[in-house]
C-alpha cells in the first residue's frame, strides 16, 4: 500500500506538558490542565478565541464519573462558543481528529489536549474494564499481567531477555534525568518481579499529568513557530482485541500505520515511542525497523512518565519539540492504546532545513 | 481549499427496545453496521475506517469499548476512532467520519453510535458526584425542567404545548418500525393525565431508556456514483461548545446552538431555514425542547416557537415536519440518539423513510445536543449534490 500524502501542510507549532507526579490530590483535572493550556497558548501568543478547532482526549473511568471532560472544557474558556470535539482516547487521537479537521480547510489552527489522573483509583484495576466485558473483564486480568504475558512471549521467541529489558529501562530513565517533567528519573535498581518476567523497572510509573499542543496550517504555522514540526504523514490502526488471536511478539498495526504515514520512505533520526513496558519497545523497534543510529525516547519515554490518556500525545509533543529546537530533522512519534499494543498511531514530523 | 463532497449511501438501525437481552454489545452494533452495509450494497472490505461514538462509558460499564468492538465492526487492520461529546456524540461522530472523507483521507467510512442502557443504569451513570462540582441532580430531567419553566415564563407559552409535542412524536413513532415506543392507544388526554415527574415535564413527555445502535456508510463522489440507491449529500456540518455553567449563559437558547445552526446554514447556502428546509430531526428528549429549539435553530423568532407547534406546523403533514421518526421522545439509546437524527434526516432526502416519509423532502436538518445544553452538532443533508 502506498503511503498517503496529506493535501495540506500542517505542523505542530507548540507543546506544553505538566510535571508528571504520582499524586495530585490537591488539583482537580481542570486545575491540572489549566497551566498547560496557558503555557501552550502563550508560546504562540494565541488566545482561545483565535483557535479554529479544539479537540481533547481523556477517559471518564479515571475520574470515576460520567462526562468528566465537560469540566475540562470550562478550563479552555469556551466563550464565545468554540468549534470543539472530544475523543475517549489518548490525546494523540484527538490530535489526529484535529489534523483531519485542518486538512478539510475548515480550520487553520487547532488546540489539542490530553490529561489523566490515575491517582484517584488503582489504574491496574481500572484498565481491566477495557477488556471484553463478558468473557475477560470478569477475571480482572490487570495491565501488568497482560504485558508480562507479552514479555514472556518475546523471551520465548528469543527476541529479548531480562538483561536486555533491564538495559532498556536503564537507558530510558537515564534519558529522563534531563527531562524536568518526568516522574521517574535517573538510575535506579530494576527491583523485584512485579509480574514475572517484568520487574518494577520494566513497568511505567503510575501518575497524573496533562499535555497540550497547537497545530497550524501552512504560513500560519511559520508565523507562529520559528521551525514548525511539519506532519508529513499520520495514520493509526487497530488489531483484534482478544490476545489469543494475536502474535504478541509483533505489531502489524504499528507497521501498517508507519507505512501509511510514510515512515519508511527515508530514515528518521528520532523516535518517541509510547512503550509503557520495556518489552513493548522491543516489539515497536522491530515493527518500525529502527536501527541503533536512531535516538529512541530521548525524553525518557513512558518509562519516565506515563499519565494515562496523555502519554501518547506527549510522544508527539516531545518529537515536535526536538524538531523545534533543531535537534531533529525527521522524527517519528508513536502512541498506543489497549492491552498489549492493540491500537497504534504513527506520525512523521519534519523540520525545514 | 476544496473539500471532497460527502454522501450517505447506507443507513442501518436496530429495532430499539428497553433491553436487548438476546445480543451482546458486539452483537448489537454488528446488527446496525450490517444493515448499513446492506443498504449501501457494500461489504466489510469496502470500508476504509470506522468512527464510533457513544455517551459515557459508565452507561455500559466498559471503559473505551471500541477496543473490544474492533472485531465486531470489521475494524481489524483499519483506523478506528472513538468520539465522545456527551449527548451530542451521535452527531459529532458522523461529522468526524464525514471529515475523513471531506479531507480525502479515506474514501469510504463506516460510522456507528450505540447505547445498550440495559447493561447498566443511566440514572446511576449520570449521578456520580465528584467534590466541588454540581452533579446533574436526579438525572437529566431535574437539570432541564427549570430551564423549561424559564422558557414558559419568558414566552408566555400555554402549559399544553409540551403535551402536543409528545402526542405528535408518539404518533409518528407508530409509523417507524425501528422506534422503541409503539403506543397504539396514545391520546392527547393520556399524555396530559400522565404523572408529573419534573414540573412541567410529565412522564409521557420524557424519553425512554433504549438499547440500540445506528450506523451509516459515508463515501466520496466516486462512491456516490456507484451507489445502488438514492444518496443523501452533506451540505453543511458543524459542532459548537460552550461552558456548562457561567453567569452569562442562556439555558433557554444557548449561543452555541445558534452559532452552530448559523454555520451549517452558511455552509449550505440556506438563508431562510423555515422555507428552505423540508424536514427536521431535532434532539427533543423532553417535549418542551421542540418549541425551544425551533427558536434556537432559527425556524421561529424568539418567543414564537410554541406557536408553530400549537398551529400543527411541526406535524408529519405540516409545513415543517419535526421528528417524523418519532424522535428522541420515542427512542433514546443516548449515545446513538444524535446519529439517529442525522440518519433519519438522510433517509428523508433519500426518499427511503417509509411510512414516516415527508413527501418531497429535498433538504433535511439533523440536530443533536448534549451536556448541560452546551454541546451542539448538526448537519444539513440534501437530495442534490452541493453546489458550493
Amino acid at each position: 500500500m502506498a503511503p498517503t500524502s496529506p493535501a495540506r501542510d500542517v505542523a505542530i507549532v507548540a507543546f506544553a506538558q505538566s510535571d508528571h507526579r504520582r499524586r495530585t490530590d490537591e488539583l482537580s483535572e481542570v486545575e491540572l490542565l489549566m497551566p498547560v493550556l496557558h503555557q501552550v497558548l502563550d508560546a504562540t501568543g494565541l488566545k482561545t478565541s483565535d483557535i479554529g478547532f479544539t479537540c481533547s482526549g481523556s477517559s471518564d473511568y479515571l475520574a470515576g464519573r460520567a462526562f468528566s471532560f465537560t469540566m475540562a472544557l470550562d478550563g479552555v474558556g469556551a466563550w464565545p462558543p468554540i468549534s470543539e470535539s472530544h475523543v475517549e482516547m489518548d490525546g494523540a487521537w484527538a490530535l489526529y481528529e484535529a489534523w483531519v479537521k485542518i486538512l478539510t480547510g475548515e480550520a487553520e489552527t487547532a488546540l489539542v489536549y490530553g490529561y489523566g489522573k490515575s491517582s484517584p483509583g488503582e489504574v491496574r484495576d481500572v484498565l481491566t474494564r477495557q477488556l471484553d466485558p463478558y468473557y475477560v473483564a470478569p477475571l480482572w486480568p490487570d495491565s501488568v499481567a497482560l504485558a508480562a504475558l507479552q514479555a514472556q512471549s518475546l523471551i520465548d521467541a528469543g527476541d529479548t531477555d531480562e538483561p536486555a529489558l533491564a538495559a532498556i529501562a536503564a537507558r530510558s530513565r537515564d534519558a529522563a534525568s534531563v527531562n524536568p517533567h518526568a516522574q521517574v528519573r535517573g538510575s535506579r535498581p530494576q527491583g523485584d518481579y512485579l509480574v514475572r518476567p517484568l520487574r518494577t523497572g520494566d513497568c511505567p510509573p503510575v501518575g497524573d499529568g496533562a499535555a497540550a499542543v497547537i497545530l497550524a496550517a501552512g504560513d500560519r504555522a511559520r508565523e507562529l513557530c520559528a521551525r514548525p514540526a511539519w506532519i508529513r504523514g499520520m495514520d493509526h490502526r487497530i488489531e483484534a482485541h482478544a490476545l489469543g488471536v494475536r502474535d504478541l511478539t509483533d505489531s502489524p498495526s504499528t507497521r501498517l500505520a508507519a507505512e501509511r504515514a510514510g515512515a519508511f520512505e527515508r530514515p528518521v533520526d528520532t523516535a518517541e515511542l509510547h512503550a509503557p513496558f520495556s518489552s513493548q519497545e522491543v516489539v515497536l523497534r522491530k515493527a518500525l525497523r529502527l536501527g541503533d543510529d536512531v535516538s529512541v525516547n530521548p525524553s525518557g519515554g513512558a518509562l519516565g512518565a506515563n499519565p494515562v490518556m496523555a502519554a501518547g500525545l506527549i510522544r508527539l509533543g516531545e518529537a515536535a519539540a526536538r524538531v523545534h529546537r533543531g535537534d531533529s530533522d525527521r522524527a517519528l512519534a508513536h502512541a498506543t492504546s489497549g492491552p498489549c499494543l492493540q491500537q497504534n498511531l504513527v506520525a512523521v514530523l519534519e523540520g525545514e532545513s | 481549499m476544496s473539500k471532497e463532497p460527502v454522501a450517505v449511501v447506507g443507513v442501518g438501525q436496530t429495532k430499539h427496545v428497553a433491553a436487548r437481552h438476546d445480543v451482546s454489545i458486539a452483537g448489537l452494533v454488528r446488527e446496525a453496521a450490517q444493515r448499513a452495509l446492506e443498504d449501501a450494497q457494500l461489504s466489510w472490505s469496502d470500508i476504509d475506517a470506522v468512527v464510533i461514538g457513544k455517551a459515557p462509558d459508565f452507561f455500559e460499564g466498559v471503559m473505551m469499548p471500541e477496543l473490544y468492538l474492533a472485531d465486531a465492526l470489521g475494524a481489524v487492520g483499519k483506523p478506528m476512532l472513538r468520539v465522545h461529546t456527551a449527548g451530542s456524540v451521535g452527531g459529532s461522530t458522523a461529522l468526524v467520519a464525514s471529515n475523513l472523507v471531506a479531507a480525502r483521507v479515506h474514501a469510504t467510512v463506516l460510522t456507528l453510535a450505540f447505547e445498550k442502557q440495559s447493561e447498566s443504569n443511566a440514572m446511576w451513570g449520570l449521578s456520580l458526584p465528584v467534590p466541588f462540582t454540581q452533579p446533574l441532580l436526579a438525572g437529566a430531567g431535574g437539570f432541564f425542567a427549570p430551564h423549561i419553566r424559564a422558557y414558559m415564563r419568558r414566552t408566555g407559552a400555554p402549559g399544553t404545548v409540551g403535551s402536543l409535542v409528545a402526542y405528535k412524536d408518539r404518533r409518528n413513532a407508530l409509523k417507524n418500525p425501528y422506534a422503541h415506543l409503539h403506543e397504539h392507544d396514545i391520546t392527547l388526554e393520556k399524555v396530559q393525565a400522565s404523572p408529573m415527574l419534573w414540573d412541567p415535564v410529565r412522564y409521557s413527555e420524557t424519553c425512554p431508556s433504549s438499547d440500540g445502535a445506528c450506523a451509516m456508510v459515508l463515501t466520496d463522489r466516486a462512491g456516490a456514483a456507484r451507489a445502488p440507491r438514492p444518496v443523501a449529500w452533506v451540505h453543511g456540518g458543524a459542532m459548537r461548545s460552550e461552558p456548562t455553567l457561567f453567569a452569562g449563559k442562556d439555558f433557554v437558547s444557548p449561543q452555541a446552538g445558534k452559532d452552530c445552526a448559523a454555520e451549517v446554514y452558511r455552509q449550505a447556502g440556506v438563508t431562510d431555514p423555515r422555507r428552505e428546509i423540508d424536514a427536521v430531526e431535532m434532539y427533543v428528549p423532553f417535549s418542551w425542547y421542540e418549541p425551544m429549539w425551533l427558536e434556537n435553530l432559527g425556524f421561529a423568532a424568539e418567543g414564537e416557537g410554541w406557536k408553530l407547534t400549537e398551529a400543527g406546523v411541526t406535524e408529519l403533514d405540516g409545513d415543517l415536519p419535526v421528528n417524523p421518526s418519532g424522535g428522541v421522545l420515542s427512542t433514546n439509546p443516548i449515545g446513538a440518539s444524535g446519529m439517529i437524527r442525522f440518519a433519519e434526516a438522510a433517509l428523508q432526502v433519500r426518499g427511503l423513510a417509509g411510512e414516516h416519509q415527508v413527501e418531497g423532502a429535498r433538504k433535511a436538518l439533523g440536530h443533536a445536543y448534549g451536556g448541560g445544553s452546551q454541546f451542539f452538532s448538526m448537519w444539513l443533508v440534501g437530495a442534490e449534490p452541493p453546489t458550493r
Side-chain angles (χ1 to χ4, degrees):
Chain A
M1 221 189 300
T4 45
S5 43
R8 203 175 183 205
D9 289 333
V10 181
I12 296 177
V13 296
F15 167 56
Q17 63 181 315
S18 60
D19 292 341
H20 309 293
R21 293 191 278 143
R22 177 62 188 88
R23 317 195 63 87
T24 53
D25 294 340
E26 73 285 10
L27 300 176
S28 69
E29 288 177 328
V30 188
E31 290 165 328
L32 181 71
L33 186 59
M34 291 263 308
V36 177
L37 293 172
H38 285 297
Q39 258 179 55
V40 81
L41 288 165
D42 288 349
T44 54
L46 293 171
K47 299 186 294 293
T48 306
S49 54
D50 300 324
I51 298 287
F53 182 65
T54 300
C55 198
S56 60
S58 68
S59 168
D60 278 346
Y61 258 76
L62 296 173
R65 69 154 289 169
F67 301 124
S68 74
F69 68 93
T70 65
M71 308 297 169
L73 184 66
D74 293 1
V76 175
W79 187 262
I82 59 172
S83 173
E84 187 265 347
S85 183
H86 171 261
V87 295
E88 193 81 357
M89 306 177 82
D90 186 289
W93 278 267
L95 188 148
Y96 181 86
E97 183 183 328
W99 177 64
V100 171
K101 180 81 173 177
I102 294 177
L103 291 182
T104 65
E106 286 176 21
E108 294 296 305
T109 53
L111 170 65
V112 178
Y113 59 93
Y115 61 92
K117 282 186 67 160
S118 294
S119 59
E122 293 294 329
V123 75
R124 283 170 72 175
D125 290 343
V126 171
L127 289 175
T128 65
R129 305 299 90 192
Q130 285 187 336
L131 305 169
D132 177 321
Y134 306 102
Y135 296 106
V136 185
L139 304 172
W140 296 83
D142 75 31
S143 48
V144 179
L146 296 178
L149 203 66
Q150 186 172 31
Q152 190 60 53
S153 305
L154 286 163
I155 291 171
D156 292 348
D159 286 355
T160 192
D161 53 27
E162 290 191 38
L165 296 182
I168 289 171
R171 194 208 73 239
S172 298
R173 288 178 177 124
D174 277 349
S177 63
V178 294
N179 176 355
H181 304 288
Q183 185 179 333
V184 180
R185 291 181 279 167
S187 63
R188 61 197 336 252
Q190 261 299 75
D192 295 331
Y193 287 114
L194 206 53
V195 180
R196 220 173 260 271
L198 295 178
R199 294 173 183 271
T200 316
D202 293 307
C203 303
V206 175
D208 303 348
V213 307
I214 288 177
L215 301 180
D219 288 340
R220 196 80 183 96
R222 292 183 187 93
E223 288 163 23
L224 295 171
C225 180
R227 193 169 192 258
W230 299 102
I231 301 171
R232 295 304 183 205
M234 180 157 44
D235 193 79
H236 60 99
R237 301 281 152 166
I238 196 164
E239 293 177 39
H241 183 62
L243 300 180
V245 300
R246 285 199 259 152
D247 174 2
L248 295 182
T249 67
D250 197 10
S251 182
S253 57
T254 300
R255 188 177 296 112
L256 182 55
E259 206 171 287
R260 300 290 293 169
F264 300 135
E265 289 172 6
R266 282 183 294 121
V268 297
D269 54 46
T270 300
E272 278 286 341
L273 306 181
H274 186 193
F277 297 92
S278 59
S279 43
Q280 293 180 340
E281 185 179 303
V282 177
V283 179
L284 293 170
R285 272 180 182 270
K286 185 168 76 173
L288 293 166
R289 302 175 206 159
L290 298 176
D292 291 336
D293 52 336
V294 178
S295 171
V296 173
N297 287 341
S299 68
L303 287 168
N306 188 42
V308 182
M309 313 313 286
L313 179 62
I314 291 169
R315 306 281 72 76
L316 285 144
E318 289 281 7
R322 274 177 75 83
V323 173
H324 295 163
R325 293 193 299 264
D327 295 340
S328 169
D329 292 322
R330 183 171 158 89
L332 180 149
H334 160 268
T336 195
S337 177
C340 299
L341 302 172
Q342 187 194 347
Q343 189 175 20
N344 295 284
L345 177 147
V346 174
V348 177
L349 305 174
E350 280 184 359
E352 275 162 344
S353 43
Chain B
M1 19 177 315
S2 78
K3 285 186 288 182
E4 178 70 22
V6 182
V8 183
V9 293
V11 171
Q13 289 181 58
T14 58
K15 164 74 178 102
H16 306 284
V17 293
R20 277 294 297 273
H21 292 305
D22 61 319
V23 287
S24 63
I25 299 171
L28 182 79
V29 297
R30 177 92 178 178
E31 201 174 286
Q34 191 83 56
R35 285 178 185 160
L37 287 172
E38 280 163 18
D39 185 12
Q41 291 182 28
L42 294 175
S43 67
W44 294 98
S45 60
D46 296 313
I47 299 298
D48 299 319
V50 179
V51 183
I52 183 171
K54 59 167 259 83
D57 291 1
F58 280 98
F59 284 2
E60 285 82 15
V62 187
M63 180 185 187
M64 301 161 77
E66 69 279 5
L67 296 165
Y68 140 72
L69 292 172
D71 304 62
L73 289 174
V76 171
K78 295 175 186 174
M80 188 173 196
L81 273 169
R82 158 71 195 288
V83 180
H84 176 16
T85 63
S88 68
V89 64
S92 308
T93 305
L95 291 176
V96 173
S98 172
N99 280 343
L100 285 169
V101 177
R104 300 188 178 89
V105 173
H106 297 297
T108 304
V109 178
L110 172 71
T111 186
L112 180 138
F114 76 96
E115 206 74 73
K116 199 162 187 291
Q117 296 200 57
S118 64
E119 298 274 334
S120 181
N121 184 320
M123 193 80 160
W124 172 83
L126 282 170
S127 305
L128 292 170
V130 292
F132 314 119
T133 53
Q134 177 83 346
L136 294 177
L137 295 165
F143 183 87
F144 290 117
H147 308 313
I148 293 172
R149 286 200 299 275
Y151 173 77
M152 295 169 76
R153 256 197 317 277
R154 202 187 277 190
T155 64
T160 49
V161 171
S163 55
L164 291 174
V165 175
Y167 178 51
K168 165 183 69 82
D169 284 1
R170 296 278 162 83
R171 274 181 294 133
N172 288 351
L174 293 172
K175 299 177 186 296
N176 175 3
Y178 294 108
H180 175 175
L181 297 183
H182 282 157
E183 298 179 333
H184 293 279
D185 53 351
I186 189 79
T187 63
L188 184 59
E189 292 68 34
K190 277 190 180 168
V191 173
Q192 289 169 343
S194 67
M196 186 64 82
L197 289 189
W198 303 278
D199 192 6
V201 180
R202 292 182 181 277
Y203 177 78
S204 290
E205 296 176 60
T206 67
C207 49
S209 280
S210 314
D211 281 2
C214 178
M216 287 190 284
V217 177
L218 307 180
T219 191
D220 58 9
R221 204 194 310 250
R226 288 192 297 269
R229 308 182 77 188
V231 311
W233 293 95
V234 179
H235 288 219
M239 299 184 228
R240 287 293 181 276
S241 308
E242 66 182 44
T244 326
L245 301 166
F246 71 105
K249 181 166 170 116
D250 184 351
F251 280 97
V252 171
S253 189
Q255 189 63 39
K258 292 183 189 173
D259 291 0
C260 190
E263 172 60 16
V264 170
Y265 300 152
R266 188 195 65 76
Q267 289 176 19
V270 166
T271 52
D272 185 353
R274 172 89 165 80
R275 302 275 163 247
E276 295 173 55
I277 293 172
D278 305 311
V280 185
E281 282 283 345
M282 71 170 63
Y283 204 104
V284 178
F286 302 98
S287 61
W288 278 91
Y289 272 86
E290 176 180 298
M292 289 164 74
W293 292 146
L294 281 170
E295 296 171 28
N296 191 246
L297 297 175
F299 291 109
E302 212 162 298
E304 306 281 312
W306 64 270
K307 294 178 183 167
L308 296 191
T309 298
E310 199 177 50
V313 170
T314 58
E315 295 272 350
L316 184 50
D317 58 358
D319 184 36
L320 182 73
V322 174
N323 291 327
S325 68
V328 181
L329 273 179
S330 306
T331 306
N332 190 29
I334 298 177
S337 290
M339 190 171 288
I340 298 171
R341 308 279 71 71
F342 278 43
E344 285 285 349
L347 287 176
Q348 288 292 343
V349 300
R350 295 174 73 201
L352 298 176
E355 269 193 75
H356 62 285
Q357 176 69 46
V358 173
E359 213 176 310
R362 307 296 289 169
K363 283 184 184 170
L365 184 74
H367 160 268
Y369 85 106
S373 294
Q374 63 180 133
F375 302 113
F376 293 84
S377 61
M378 301 171 205
W379 81 2
L380 194 138
V381 286
E384 304 294 333
T387 52
R388 37 197 288 140

